[in-house]
Each structure stands twice: as structure tokens, then as C-alpha cells.
Amino acid sequence: MGYGFISEGETLAFIVSAVFGSSISFFSGLVLLFLIFYYRKHRLSYWRLILGFGIVGILQDVCYFSGAVLIYSEKQDTSYGNFFCKTQGFALQIAGGTSAMYSIMICLHIYFIIVQKWVTIPKKLEIASHLLCWLVGVIVAIIPLSGMLPGVTYGSSFAWCWIASDPKYARFLLFYGWVWFVIVIIIFVYF
């Protein structure tokens, strides 16, 4: 089962790496969640942001793991009309957008506590932070399903399903653009 541009052995190596990496990340995320609750850190606002970030990471790991395993077992049809493929792409896009927003919120939280000398973040602001993170993730994930951008949909991305590679601007606009936005915001806040 090669993919035209790489051999069967390279395909297997890539998929094993994806499964191994996402498995380690998944179990690390579970350990993080366990420790947050075991040591009762969820009572502190900044730990709740890390908790939200951890939950998003676990969602992302499940998607990567399931996609790689199902493609390798050749049980997944990665065509554009496949329900599982679109669901996996949608979930990965939610996780990607939400994860980027949590990075910004954690950065701002650190800024307010260390630089502005806030003792804690007001509860309403914390709730708004969580809602904004998930709202941005969901909005960015809905765009390929909505038809707002012509030709942009979820489809095969080699070892899992995500934003289809055509049109070329889609992944940049809906994911990599957000990542660079986050990098610029974090650099601006820290400097």
C-alpha cells in the first residue's frame, strides 16, 4: 500500500511514527489531566487553561491515531464523500484552532499575572477565554463544511483526513495562518 510518491515501506514508517507519537502524546495528556485533578490544581485559573489545552491535545491525538491506524488497515476510504473522513478533518480543525487560541490565552494570562501583577484572573474573563478558544476552533472548522470558500472541503491528507490540499490557499488560510498569527501575538506580548 504505497502512495505513488513514497514506497510501501516509507508509508508504513510514517504511519507507525504517527501512531507512536500520538499514543505517547495521548497518554501524557491523560497523565497531565490526572495530576491536575489529583493535586487539585484545577482550582487555579491558569491550571484550568492548561486543562483546556490538555483536553484539546487529547482530541487531536485521538484523531491522528485513528486516522493512521484506519488508513494502514485500509478500512478507511479517504474520499471527499466519506463521513468518517469529514468528521476526522472537522475534529482536527477544531483541535488546531482551539489549541492556537489556548496558546494565546496562556500567554496573556502569564502576562497579566507576572507583568501586570494581577493576583488572579477574574472569573468572567477566564470563562470568556475558554469560550473564545472553543468558538474560534469551531468557526474555523465549520468554514470547509459551509461552502463559504469555494472548493474548500475536508479530504485525504495522506495519513489522516484534514483540509483537502486543493485549493492551495485553504490550509494556509484556515490553519497555518492562525499558527503564524499566534506566533506574532506571543512575540509581541513577550517583547
Side-chain angles (χ1 to χ4, degrees):
M1 178 199 72
Y3 279 92
F5 57 93
I6 63 173
S7 70
E8 186 171 334
E10 291 170 325
T11 301
L12 178 61
F14 180 80
I15 290 173
V16 166
S17 298
V19 168
F20 183 71
S22 61
S23 297
I24 289 173
S25 181
F26 175 79
F27 289 113
S28 299
L30 290 179
V31 168
L32 174 71
L33 297 183
F34 171 76
L35 292 174
I36 287 172
F37 285 105
Y38 182 78
Y39 289 109
R40 302 181 195 279
K41 297 293 185 182
H42 62 282
R43 296 179 179 174
L44 302 170
S45 61
Y46 55 90
W47 278 102
R48 286 191 292 271
L49 287 174
I50 294 170
L51 178 67
F53 198 50
I55 291 168
V56 169
I58 289 172
L59 170 65
Q60 199 165 25
D61 297 331
V62 168
C63 291
Y64 286 136
F65 180 87
S66 65
V69 168
L70 289 172
I71 284 179
Y72 181 70
S73 66
E74 297 185 338
K75 292 180 181 170
Q76 180 184 8
D77 171 18
T78 58
S79 67
Y80 296 113
N82 185 307
F83 177 76
F84 177 79
C85 187
K86 288 188 180 211
T87 303
Q88 181 186 32
F90 182 74
L92 276 174
Q93 191 62 16
I94 287 175
T98 305
S99 177
M101 289 304 297
Y102 268 115
S103 296
I104 290 175
M105 292 305 163
I106 290 170
C107 168
L108 291 174
H109 206 99
I110 290 169
Y111 172 80
F112 287 129
I113 288 176
I114 293 175
V115 176
Q116 297 297 322
K117 307 286 188 219
W118 290 15
V119 175
T120 187
I121 299 295
K123 191 72 169 172
K124 288 182 180 182
L125 183 58
E126 180 192 344
I127 291 169
S129 298
H130 287 286
L131 290 174
L132 182 63
C133 290
W134 284 96
L135 182 64
V136 167
V138 169
I139 288 170
V140 171
I142 286 174
I143 291 173
L145 294 175
S146 69
M148 289 172 57
L149 297 173
V152 176
T153 186
Y154 292 115
S156 178
S157 181
F158 178 57
W160 46 78
C161 292
W162 188 42
I163 300 169
S165 59
D166 284 322
K168 299 292 183 199
Y169 69 87
R171 289 182 183 169
F172 180 80
L173 182 65
L174 297 174
F175 180 73
Y176 296 111
W178 283 103
V179 171
W180 282 104
F181 173 73
V182 168
I183 291 169
V184 168
I185 294 294
I186 290 173
I187 289 171
F188 179 76
V189 169
Y190 285 150
F191 290 105

